[in-house]
Amino acid sequence: RRAEGVEILGDFPFMVTLDSADVWSRGRDFILDASVGTPPDAFSETGQEWGLPPYRWDEARKNDFEWLRMRARRSANLYDGFRVDHLVGFYRTYVRPLDGREPYFMPAEEREQRALGETVMQIMIETGADVSVEDLGTVPDFVRESIARIGVPGYKVLRWEPATPAQYPPLSVAMTGTHD
């Protein structure tokens, strides 16, 4: 990392697994009878169910997002910059109750979603690391507008974009492929 001109970039995963040390030690920060996923879209008519426990955003607010702040600082200590995985989930999480109730977005209203996402993004930015965000897939326009306004680059995958690289926003990360 100390070599001149070399930077190490890492990943900031959106969620952690149900059996992780984080969930065991901070269970109050997670909804343990639900799973994170995605709503139905062009790739899946039933959406996706990831088997990962959603955050309790009300608890995160009560403790000033302590756990996310610790994770962000740790990532900044490990890497010069990091990619925030599944950005849209930090604005609005798609929650699938395990008891069969209807899935829902949390928070439910766009105003609250924007406020939550911008708070989380500010936590990431405050670390001083170079932060970029994975904003691929079905992402509401207000999320992309939000990250552009606060100055965080989103992703452009060459083979998925109708525009040419010369037409990409100056604040973006272009690539030929992704893990998705």
Side-chain angles (χ1 to χ4, degrees):
R1 193 170 168 182
R2 298 201 185 345
E4 190 167 330
V6 175
E7 290 189 355
I8 305 295
L9 300 178
D11 198 55
F12 189 95
F14 169 55
M15 297 301 309
V16 296
T17 64
L18 187 60
D19 59 354
S20 68
D22 297 294
V23 173
W24 280 85
S25 66
R26 301 186 66 88
R28 70 187 177 286
D29 291 340
F30 299 92
I31 300 171
L32 301 177
D33 60 351
S35 173
V36 170
T38 64
D41 62 17
F43 299 104
S44 172
E45 65 184 43
T46 58
Q48 298 175 25
E49 197 269 295
W50 297 344
L52 305 170
Y55 296 118
R56 287 189 188 278
W57 291 120
D58 57 336
E59 288 296 320
R61 278 187 204 88
K62 283 181 193 175
N63 64 32
D64 193 31
F65 298 87
E66 174 187 52
W67 180 69
L68 282 175
R69 287 180 189 282
M70 289 187 310
R71 286 182 66 207
R73 282 192 305 268
R74 179 66 177 148
S75 289
N77 287 335
L78 290 172
Y79 314 117
D80 298 297
F82 54 87
R83 174 192 83 112
V84 177
D85 179 49
H86 194 63
L87 168 72
V88 71
F90 285 115
Y91 279 76
R92 63 179 198 182
T93 306
Y94 194 67
V95 178
R96 294 174 161 273
L98 298 180
D99 65 5
R101 286 179 290 134
E102 285 295 313
Y104 58 92
F105 282 110
M106 178 179 53
E109 303 297 322
E110 182 179 314
R111 181 184 56 77
E112 294 170 341
Q113 293 169 2
R114 182 185 304 265
L116 173 63
E118 291 182 2
T119 297
V120 172
M121 290 313 306
Q122 195 58 43
I123 289 168
M124 305 296 172
I125 293 166
E126 288 171 0
T127 66
D130 289 329
V131 177
S132 61
V133 296
E134 186 252 339
D135 59 342
L136 305 173
T138 306
V139 177
D141 290 340
F142 81 88
V143 173
R144 288 203 172 92
E145 291 164 6
S146 171
I147 63 168
R149 191 178 69 258
I150 60 180
V152 177
Y155 278 34
K156 299 293 179 195
V157 180
L158 294 169
R159 63 186 177 160
W160 296 348
E161 292 293 325
T164 65
Q167 297 168 313
Y168 294 171
L171 195 60
S172 59
V173 177
M175 64 193 66
T176 59
T178 176
H179 74 285
D180 293 331

